[in-house]
Amino acid sequence: MNKIATFGLIAAMLAFSLPVFAGEDAPYPQIINIDGRNCTSLNGQWKFLVDPYKLGYHNYHQVPHSDAGSFFADRSFDDDRTKLIEYSFDRAAELRVPGDWNTQYEKLYYYEGNIWYRKAFDFAPKDGMRYFLYFGAVNYSAIVAINGKRVAKHLGGFTPFNIEVTGRLRDGRNSVVVLVDNTRQKDGIPTDNCDWWNYGGITRSVKIVEVPATFIRDYSIQLDKTVLGKAKKGRKPQPEVRRIYGQVRLDGGCNPVTIAIPELGVNATVIPDANGVARFEAKARPELWTPEKPKLYDVQISIAGDDVSDRIGFRYIETDGDKILLNGKPVFCRGISIHEESAHNSGRITSVDECRELLEWAKELGCNFVRLAHYPHNEDMVRLAEEMGLMVWSEIPAYWTISWTNPATYANAVNQLEEMITRDINRCNIVVWSVANETPVSEARTLFLSRLIARARELDPTRLVSAAMEKTRKGPNVFTVDDPLLAYTDLISFNQYQGWYSSSLDDCDLTSWTFDQVKPVFISEFGAGALYGNHGPVSERFTEEYMAECYKRNIRMMEERMPGLAGTTPWVLKDFRSPRRALTGIQDDFNRKGVVSDKGEKKQAFFVLQNWYSRLKAK
Ligand code: GCB
């Protein structure tokens, strides 16, 4: 083939293989603290159409339709029956939003693919105001259209996004159509293989946010650990004087910003720079947030025409040798890992009450810490944990075998990391950002993850950053962690399943640990599986007795032969759905490592862990 022909062929291939990006741009930068804004909820019943072949998106030759020719147009067969319109949202069944689709209809239990959602609603936009369409999370990809026009595309199933729709909302009836696709992606975050249910749908709230032309988009308010003035021993002892600092980012202008924390006597007005970023600092005597006394302060941020309130706590977190220090004092993280699954139907959590049920079990166990695995949980979960005195490990779903060399995969991972940190930057209970779970060591993977860690530190230098790594064998019964990622993490955090994925319970008694680095050791997972009510000899797998014994022996091993242990988050609070669990009569689509069953029953292991945590607490 001559050069011109080759060029022509490549150009033609490119032209046809490029996705249609018109109207499928990235969303607008995230507006934080949505519940503190003036919002109209679009939660409730949405019409839906299941579309495994994506016929509403492209034609039979897979050429994408225009907006008008696609389901985004929200037309209907009944509009004009002389025309061939082979769909109608009005005739369709309904799905609840927020909610996964898998637990709403039996026929959607295993479904992975495309589903169209449509919400029709009346609205009256006000002159001079700006409007954003906000989604708490959509798993996995979402293409959003408003009144027939595509406006944005978002990837990643566990973080919020918002789209500016100023000028696109009509006075009267409006339509929002979302094409949701939860097809697992080899190059996605997560990849196409994981150990949890791939719940699809608009799984978190949808709202229209109304803000003035210039508004407060995001802010971060933190505590500097430096003590500026000692507490005076008086009749009423006062906390030490410290520095509270932060920044507020405006959108659309540079009005003066006032930050007030009335209970601390803070009231600062600052002028933003040309980019609308106002930096401030103030001296104050905050009572520090602790799990025992999770003190939060009312914070008001205002500019002419806009104000936002939040409840913010002040604490600092750091490491010193092999210790984790909370407010300068060593703390042992008595944790548990949690999947964001409801205690009732094992679907995605959609209410604060469902978050509370899980977190109350964690409190009953004696926890001061939760690992919110394996993706950012909903904002209510984090806020409630903060009120209840639970420190949090928050992570992105860079799990197992990610496509480490694919730049698009990296862009997706870093975007999910940024969205997670932006949303929760003010939650003082979050003490660890985690960038990955059990990823196979290679140069490309370590480069990928170390870049994520660097980005997390750049966005937030105040918290610890880590990843759930894996153990390596050093001698016959001696284990260590020698992952090169340790050079970048604050913790030696790893998952280990002695007594379960190893050959027998006795392994726990034989195993000892040694670490070359001096950093806090954190067991991000250990555990065993049992079906609640299944009793038998200690040696029999999936009995409560085996599971309880595995906990006992792991606890003994950690207490006696785990130098530098600073915390643990056993796997896992509640049995959760997973397609990797095929043992009929025992697993039935559930990972049975919950210390609580999927029906809320406490297994023997719950009490073993509770007992250990109460001993640790008493120390
Ligand atoms: C792990 C994973 C977790 C699994 C768990 C298990 O190491 O991090 O996601 O669910 O093991 O039960 O195998």
Side-chain angles (χ1 to χ4, degrees), residues 188-476:
I189 301 287
T191 181
D192 53 359
N193 183 29
C194 65
D195 187 23
W196 68 83
W197 208 263
N198 179 23
Y199 293 111
I202 304 180
T203 51
R204 296 184 189 156
S205 291
V206 185
K207 297 176 186 204
I208 294 176
V209 188
E210 181 186 273
V211 288
T214 301
F215 68 96
I216 300 156
R217 192 165 83 208
D218 66 50
Y219 50 87
S220 117
I221 297 174
Q222 309 278 352
L223 180 72
D224 185 311
K225 68 174 190 180
T226 324
V227 175
L228 302 170
K230 285 278 169 207
K232 289 210 184 71
K233 284 197 193 87
R235 256 188 302 168
K236 197 166 166 254
Q238 289 236 330
E240 288 152 329
V241 182
R242 291 172 193 274
R243 191 175 74 101
I244 290 174
Y245 68 101
Q247 62 171 42
V248 177
R249 191 189 314 270
L250 303 186
D251 191 308
C254 292
N255 309 4
V257 182
T258 300
I259 298 103
I261 313 174
E263 210 183 327
L264 291 175
V266 171
N267 195 316
T269 299
V270 272
I271 310 290
D273 64 18
N275 300 318
V277 179
R279 293 187 178 74
F280 81 98
E281 60 174 66
K283 283 186 191 172
R285 291 178 183 275
E287 186 186 315
L288 302 185
W289 183 97
T290 63
E292 295 72 37
K293 203 159 175 230
K295 172 74 185 162
L296 300 176
Y297 289 90
D298 282 325
V299 176
Q300 291 142 16
I301 302 166
S302 44
I303 58 171
D306 193 24
D307 59 86
V308 186
S309 303
D310 208 336
R311 304 259 305 147
I312 294 182
F314 301 102
R315 57 92 192 98
Y316 58 98
I317 186 85
E318 63 195 330
T319 63
D320 182 18
D322 61 7
K323 302 269 179 296
I324 297 176
L325 305 183
L326 176 68
N327 301 328
K329 295 190 200 116
V331 63
F332 187 92
C333 302
R334 305 183 307 271
I336 188 82
S337 297
I338 303 183
H339 260 295
E340 198 203 88
E341 253 195 28
S342 151
H344 299 287
N345 63 1
S346 291
R348 280 275 167 253
I349 281 185
T350 58
S351 72
V352 190
D353 286 343
E354 289 171 306
C355 300
R356 186 172 288 110
E357 272 172 297
L358 298 187
L359 297 179
E360 272 174 359
W361 281 329
K363 290 295 278 189
E364 203 181 326
L365 276 170
C367 293
N368 59 6
F369 192 104
V370 287
R371 175 180 179 205
L372 300 182
H374 276 303
Y375 37 75
H377 285 212
N378 70 79
E379 198 171 339
D380 286 336
M381 184 78 95
V382 182
R383 283 183 178 266
L384 194 60
E386 187 176 49
E387 278 170 32
M388 291 171 71
L390 291 162
M391 291 179 275
V392 164
W393 159 308
S394 185
E395 66 192 70
I396 55 164
Y399 182 99
W400 293 351
T401 54
I402 297 297
S403 298
W404 307 113
T405 53
N406 183 335
T409 305
Y410 180 78
N412 182 356
V414 85
N415 185 53
Q416 293 192 38
L417 181 82
E418 290 172 358
E419 288 178 342
M420 168 177 81
I421 295 179
T422 305
R423 191 193 75 179
D424 288 342
I425 190 88
N426 293 302
R427 300 286 70 81
C428 70
N429 61 329
I430 296 186
V431 293
V432 182
W433 299 123
S434 171
V435 297
N437 181 80
E438 289 184 352
T439 50
V441 177
S442 73
E443 232 173 86
R445 159 278 194 183
T446 304
L447 178 66
F448 186 110
L449 295 182
S450 64
R451 287 175 67 200
L452 287 182
I453 291 175
R455 182 67 182 135
R457 292 195 194 283
E458 192 183 343
L459 288 171
D460 178 11
T462 73
R463 288 172 174 87
L464 310 181
V465 186
S466 208
M469 291 171 270
E470 294 184 286
K471 63 178 195 288
T472 40
R473 193 182 282 275
K474 216 177 168 180

Side-chain angles (χ1 to χ4, degrees), residues 195 374 399 437-438 495 497 501 525 571 581 591 593:
D195 187 23
H374 276 303
Y399 182 99
N437 181 80
E438 289 184 352
N495 302 345
Y497 279 91
Y501 289 125
E525 287 178 32
W571 193 255
R581 306 293 162 178
N591 181 315
K593 296 191 190 71

Side-chain angles (χ1 to χ4, degrees), residues 178-192:
V178 187
L179 175 57
V180 182
D181 183 0
N182 76 332
T183 310
R184 282 169 293 124
Q185 311 277 335
K186 178 108 206 60
D187 291 337
I189 301 287
T191 181
D192 53 359

Side-chain angles (χ1 to χ4, degrees), residues 21-76:
F21 276 117
E24 294 186 9
D25 301 335
Y28 201 80
Q30 194 186 142
I31 301 171
I32 68 164
N33 188 9
I34 290 296
D35 285 346
R37 314 284 178 152
N38 187 8
C39 290
T40 304
S41 170
L42 295 186
N43 290 347
Q45 298 301 118
W46 288 50
K47 297 286 186 179
F48 78 99
L49 294 168
V50 183
D51 189 6
Y53 290 177
K54 243 178 146 175
L55 76 99
Y57 185 83
H58 50 212
N59 73 8
Y60 67 116
H61 283 162
Q62 298 199 317
V63 176
H65 296 300
S66 65
D67 283 342
S70 70
F71 286 8
F72 291 114
D74 189 9
R75 297 174 71 207
S76 169

Side-chain angles (χ1 to χ4, degrees), residues 439-596:
T439 50
V441 177
S442 73
E443 232 173 86
R445 159 278 194 183
T446 304
L447 178 66
F448 186 110
L449 295 182
S450 64
R451 287 175 67 200
L452 287 182
I453 291 175
R455 182 67 182 135
R457 292 195 194 283
E458 192 183 343
L459 288 171
D460 178 11
T462 73
R463 288 172 174 87
L464 310 181
V465 186
S466 208
M469 291 171 270
E470 294 184 286
K471 63 178 195 288
T472 40
R473 193 182 282 275
K474 216 177 168 180
N477 289 310
V478 184
F479 290 89
T480 189
V481 179
D482 61 6
D483 190 320
L485 198 64
L486 277 178
Y488 306 93
T489 61
D490 290 310
L491 306 173
I492 304 175
S493 40
F494 62 102
N495 302 345
Q496 66 83 20
Y497 279 91
Q498 293 303 82
W500 184 255
Y501 289 125
S502 69
S503 56
S504 82
L505 281 170
D506 295 339
D507 295 325
C508 305
D509 307 332
L510 300 170
T511 303
S512 63
W513 299 83
T514 172
F515 304 103
D516 292 340
Q517 311 226 5
V518 184
K519 288 185 183 183
V521 171
F522 192 102
I523 306 292
S524 32
E525 287 178 32
F526 75 90
L531 177 66
Y532 173 78
N534 183 27
H535 296 288
V538 159
S539 57
E540 188 180 316
R541 298 273 179 157
F542 292 108
T543 60
E544 285 200 49
E545 285 74 11
Y546 186 108
M547 182 183 181
E549 185 64 18
C550 190
Y551 267 74
K552 283 185 198 154
R553 296 199 194 191
N554 266 282
I555 290 167
R556 204 182 312 137
M557 176 187 76
M558 288 188 288
E559 287 201 308
E560 291 174 3
R561 296 182 302 283
M562 182 79 75
L565 186 68
T568 177
T569 46
W571 193 255
V572 56
L573 182 66
K574 186 189 79 73
D575 289 353
F576 61 95
R577 277 215 178 87
S578 167
R580 296 176 62 84
R581 306 293 162 178
L583 182 59
T584 307
I586 291 188
Q587 294 177 315
D588 301 316
D589 283 351
F590 278 95
N591 181 315
R592 294 290 182 198
K593 296 191 190 71
V595 291
V596 176

